[in-house]
Amino acid sequence: MATAAVGPETRVHYLNVDYGIKSWLLTTDHKRIAVLYLVSITLFFFVGGAAAALMRLNLIEPNGALVEPATYNKLFSIHGIIMVFFFMIPSIPAVLGNFLVPMMIGARDLAFPRLNLLSWYIFMAGGALCMYAVIAGGVDTGWTFYTPLSTTYLNSNVMSAALGVFVAGFSSILTGLNFVVTIHKMRAPGMTWFRMPLFLWAMYATSIIQILGTPVLAITLALVGLERLFHVGIFDPAVGGDPILFQHLFWFYSHPAVYIMILPSMGVISELVTCFAKKRIFGYSFVAFSSVAIAAISFLVWGHHMFVSGQSIYAGIIFSALSFAVAIPSAIKVFNWTATLYKGSISYQAPMLYALGFIGLFTMGGLTGLFLATLAVDTHVHDTYFVVGHFHYIMVGGAVMGYLGGIHYWWPKITGRLYPDGWARLAAAIIFIGFNLTFFPQYMLGYLGMPRRYAVYPPEFQVLNVMSSAGASILGVGYLIPLVYMLWSLRYGPVAGPNPWGAKGLEWLTPSPPPTENFEKTPVVTEEAYAYGAKEGAVG
Amino acid sequence: MADSHASTPLAHQFEDLEQQHEAASLGMWIFLATEVMFFGGLFAGYTIYRNLYMPGFDVGSHLLNVTIGAVNTAVLICSSLTMALGVRAAQLGKRHALLTFLILTMALGLAFILIKLALEWRHDYLEGFAPGLNFTFAGPNAKSVELFFCFYFAMTGVHALHMVVGMGVLSVLLVLAWKGHFGPERYNAVETAGLYWHFVDIVWIFLFPLLYLIGGRY
């Protein structure tokens, strides 16, 4: 902690190198762009969260406690669109990925810094279009924009919402492109592929999905727009078009998109588990290649969203089998993290609590995914709250826990300050409890047959719905606490020093917050990742 | 391409020119992969409906003007040649040749767009082939003919939009080339723009047979 005497204020770093709104809006520094994304997606998170809160309030009573059914349709659509496209997908890649990809490989910046800034502007333009759709009266297609509902029957703001998602997609594509080029071409001397932190393998796999999947969503939404404007009818049965084609094209992106959301979190967990168990990762290459395997298989499972849509039974069987296959690399990761914990010297600081929460909740979400991949069971639980419970265990229990764990882990690096660990642990516990109380009853509701996306329900479902709503209020408190102490720590938190966790990895070798150029001189890597237990600077 | 305006050829994040060149080139190839997926969605839809509604698609294909399509194919192939020669001129630092080839490429691109707009689309519209606007074709397979024209306008429209973007990129390059911006140490922007131009060309090479020739009149 010798460097702690030199506080963050006395040294020039990326945050204080320049002041003023212009220095932020025109920055090409990947670290500053990461902060821009952090602020933006936090705002979107609370917009999407507010919609969810209103939905849960409404569902306290069987006949709807708060809003008209038409308004309820808009609430779940806004919740889905904002949370998927403007929070989950950019969350870890655009914030932590932007900050960490160059630092972890020992580079000064991403390969295309101006393209990176452009990505943020494109993202904000897409977000503005979607927020316009919300303010102008809402959109009620659900986040899936299914035709012919979205093209023929609805008069809400489908065009601006779809255009917003279309535009934001290019931000995702360009971010992925930037990461792939950076990881390929800009690794520091000695940073071989198999010395890279597993977070980078996860980011690489995620980027591949962003690059190859997102354009398909773009053309699909463009065709929806064409159909609404000119009634050209590529998806319109009246002209011989097929709505199922829309579903195929939509899920060709949107199922891999699920892995855009979860893979980065898996990468974060590999960093957290090794650091707080002070141990090498168990089976490095298995964890690394399982990310690539998930990305590859993710493109071959989209049909499991369409088991009851009129897809042929043979396609259904194949998609079912392939969906089981994607569980294998996911399970490899869970087993390897668990094996890493074995005989580790584990410390339960806040990021580790999120990591452990992730492993448990992701496992539950993954296992219920196997229920849904089973053809016969899916016929029973399709489009029920069982599905809602399943993907919230993956997206919120998994991806958001990983994101929060990562934010807590790298917060001292990003800001140079430590947050109060006691409060952080308390918040992690509240989130874990609130999350389970919110979403476990939804599994039960779905299994009992309550369909998703309805504003009203039979009275016998009320107890479980009230439990879920109570859990949501606890979860909401859990999300607000970190917002408060994180902001508090910016001014009053203790100075962190370069490496508060005793972690391995290039990003911890440079001061916190890092200088604009990241490293005084380009680092030379001489050891494998996670060389915990090895002597400092030992040759690996 | 992102940093072609920097005052020195080497942007600060790179170690050397070779790394910078490789990064720019890889970046464009990855972007082209996204373009393949973007057009891929359209091609997949076209293939499915062409198999479902073969007779109507044949009728629709016969209603297109093969001669104009063939002329435009030739125009685009020539523009790819001039683009490739332009990249070579940039690498060798021949400013005058680069300017000539860029102007030629843009002229051919403009010719393509004008032929498309003024001769083809205008004609199709006047004949009543525009779905959603004035589709008036009557016949046994009128619905599938309309679907064919949906794809025809969507695919050639998206392609033409890519041509327009390409023209915009080339006009920026033209200004930079005029100022003597390019040379043996700095030609990434021309090369990557060339890759993009060739890609748009290749998309047309697939569109032409699919839309114009597939109706069985070879």
Side-chain angles (χ1 to χ4, degrees), chain A residues 420-455:
Chain A
D421 196 56
W423 279 101
R425 287 193 231 187
L426 178 70
I430 291 174
I431 289 172
F432 186 81
I433 293 165
F435 172 81
N436 280 298
L437 187 58
T438 309
F439 292 105
F440 199 83
Q442 297 190 3
Y443 280 133
M444 297 156 80
L445 282 167
Y447 200 75
L448 294 171
M450 179 171 163
R452 62 193 286 206
R453 293 182 166 174
Y454 278 73

Side-chain angles (χ1 to χ4, degrees), chain A residues 28 108-115 166 170 173-174 177 180-181 184-187 211-213 215-216 218-219 222-223 226 230-235 238-243 245 249 252 299 517 522, chain B residues 1-6 11-15 19-20 22-28 30-31 33-35 37-42 44-45 48-49 52-53 131-133 143-144 146-147 150-151 154 158:
Chain A
T28 54
R108 285 187 285 273
D109 206 323
L110 288 169
F112 309 114
R114 291 199 299 189
L115 196 66
F166 175 87
F170 289 98
I173 291 172
L174 295 177
L177 186 155
V180 169
V181 174
H184 264 283
K185 296 294 176 195
M186 301 183 71
R187 282 170 286 126
I211 289 165
L212 296 181
V216 179
I219 188 65
L223 291 175
L226 275 182
F230 299 109
H231 309 284
V232 294
I234 285 171
F235 304 125
V239 201
D242 192 346
L245 177 65
L249 291 174
F252 182 85
F299 279 107
E517 297 283 296
T522 304
Chain B
M1 209 167 80
D3 285 81
S4 55
H5 297 280
H12 82 103
Q13 69 271 27
F14 294 110
E15 295 290 332
Q19 187 190 33
Q20 173 167 295
E22 286 179 0
S25 181
L26 180 63
M28 183 44 86
I30 293 171
F31 180 74
T34 75
E35 290 278 24
M37 297 306 289
F38 184 80
F39 280 99
L42 276 172
I48 290 163
Y49 288 140
L52 284 177
Y53 307 115
L133 295 176
K143 283 293 177 198
S144 16
E146 186 173 0
L147 199 55
C150 287
F151 275 102
V158 171

Side-chain angles (χ1 to χ4, degrees), chain A residues 466-488:
Chain A
V466 168
M467 281 171 70
S468 181
S469 294
S473 62
I474 297 173
L475 190 57
V477 171
Y479 286 142
L480 284 171
I481 297 173
L483 186 71
V484 174
Y485 64 71
M486 290 291 201
L487 289 174
W488 177 90

Side-chain angles (χ1 to χ4, degrees), chain A residues 174-217:
Chain A
L174 295 177
T175 301
L177 186 155
N178 226 334
F179 287 177
V180 169
V181 174
T182 306
I183 292 173
H184 264 283
K185 296 294 176 195
M186 301 183 71
R187 282 170 286 126
M191 178 58 86
T192 61
W193 282 89
F194 291 96
R195 282 179 180 168
M196 289 200 315
L198 289 163
F199 178 75
L200 293 180
W201 279 92
M203 286 314 313
Y204 187 86
T206 308
S207 300
I208 296 290
I209 304 177
Q210 287 176 307
I211 289 165
L212 296 181
T214 319
V216 179
L217 178 75

